[in-house]
Amino acid sequence: MTELLGSLKEFSFATVVLRMCLAMAAGGIIGYGRTKRKRTAGFRTFMLTGIGASLTVLIAMYEYNMMLGDWAGKVSEVGMKFDASRFSAQVIGGIGFLAAGSIVAGAHQQVQGLTTAAGLFTSVCMGIAAGAGFYECVIAAMIMILVTLNGMIALEALYKRRTRNTTLYVEFDNIGNIDVITSLLRQRNTHIYGIEIERTEAKGGLNPAAVFSLRLAKEMASHSDVMTAIAELNCVYSVEELIS
């Protein structure tokens, strides 16, 4: 087993193809779950970032081998210096532009795409490890990324619903109803961090609306109870908890 792993770490055409395939497969496995959830970056995007990242390391390794072989004469004449990490450093910096493009401001002042951006960054780092022939790291990283992106969704949602901080989107009859809603919240010892008004009057079939940033009282930390209390007001049309 040790001999096999050692041979796979050698630089040859077979290992180059293997490393690129591993980076493509690992990126594709991660991107598949993102595609199913209709995220900004999906199956092909993660595959391409993995392949591209592995290529940066393979190109650096190719140059190094050429400088010791076919280019050795020219290198001795001009005194070229080599830094194998410069390609990888550039691609890690460059992925920021691609990742930033996946971050968008959604409805109700929510920022979306941060997880996708982080996934692209880790996919690139995983591709660099694949290109370097660090197979053990690639497998471990792929499993950890999959667990984080897929296995932690329910746990994260449960945590956010149990925390005392919450953000509610409320549609109501008219802008004056905000006083009625805030009065109810204060009666329940709820601290109001801020109120962002989205619409002051009915437009295009949409009711006046606002986003409330709240911290619930310790003894009344049930999100559903607060939402139910607000929904029972005659002036309120709908209540929605915003979970990013």
Side-chain angles (χ1 to χ4, degrees):
M1 184 66 181
T2 305
E3 293 181 0
L4 175 61
L5 189 59
S7 64
L8 291 177
K9 291 182 180 292
E10 295 177 357
F11 189 72
S12 64
F13 177 74
T15 57
V16 166
V17 174
L18 175 63
R19 294 174 192 186
M20 289 175 60
C21 288
L22 178 60
M24 180 180 69
I29 291 171
I30 294 169
Y32 176 72
R34 309 302 291 169
T35 298
K36 287 183 66 176
R37 294 186 181 86
K38 301 186 184 300
R39 300 305 185 188
T40 308
F43 183 66
R44 292 184 300 165
T45 304
F46 275 84
M47 290 177 71
L48 288 172
T49 53
I51 295 170
S54 67
L55 275 172
T56 62
V57 182
L58 293 171
I59 292 170
M61 294 175 67
Y62 173 77
E63 284 193 358
Y64 179 72
N65 278 277
M66 291 297 287
M67 289 172 68
L68 294 179
D70 294 353
W71 299 349
K74 183 61 68 176
V75 170
S76 62
E77 291 179 16
V78 299
M80 293 174 60
K81 293 183 178 180
F82 179 78
D83 180 8
S85 66
R86 71 184 188 276
F87 290 103
S88 300
Q90 290 298 321
V91 78
I92 289 176
I95 193 61
F97 293 97
L98 181 60
S102 67
I103 301 174
V104 296
H108 316 317
Q109 301 154 14
Q110 285 187 296
V111 177
Q112 300 174 335
L114 288 172
T115 303
T116 298
L120 286 171
F121 175 79
T122 52
S123 178
V124 161
C125 294
M126 185 176 61
I128 291 173
F134 198 177
Y135 304 106
E136 311 95 308
C137 178
V138 176
I139 301 301
M142 181 181 67
I143 293 172
M144 294 173 71
I145 294 170
L146 285 173
V147 169
T148 302
L149 290 178
N150 301 322
M152 296 295 179
I153 296 176
L155 182 62
E156 183 183 28
L158 178 63
Y159 168 76
K160 288 185 176 181
R161 291 190 182 280
R162 288 182 177 273
T163 184
R164 290 168 60 191
N165 293 329
T166 185
T167 304
L168 301 180
Y169 170 77
V170 185
E171 290 189 1
F172 36 80
D173 185 53
N174 61 73
I175 196 64
N177 299 143
I178 288 182
D179 292 335
V180 178
I181 299 170
T182 55
S183 177
L184 171 67
L185 292 171
R186 291 193 177 100
Q187 288 175 14
R188 301 175 67 88
N189 297 321
T190 300
H191 178 71
I192 303 173
Y193 287 127
I195 302 173
E196 297 288 341
I197 298 174
E198 289 208 344
R199 291 184 297 277
T200 57
E201 58 185 24
K203 293 181 179 178
L206 299 174
N207 302 305
V211 176
F212 294 80
S213 299
L214 311 172
R215 182 171 178 80
L216 307 181
K218 195 170 185 179
E219 64 277 6
M220 298 180 181
S222 172
H223 295 204
S224 58
D225 286 350
V226 173
M227 294 174 64
T228 300
I230 295 175
E232 287 176 348
L233 293 172
N234 294 329
C235 59
V236 172
Y237 292 118
S238 67
V239 183
E240 177 187 353
E241 183 174 17
L242 304 182
I243 300 178
S244 57

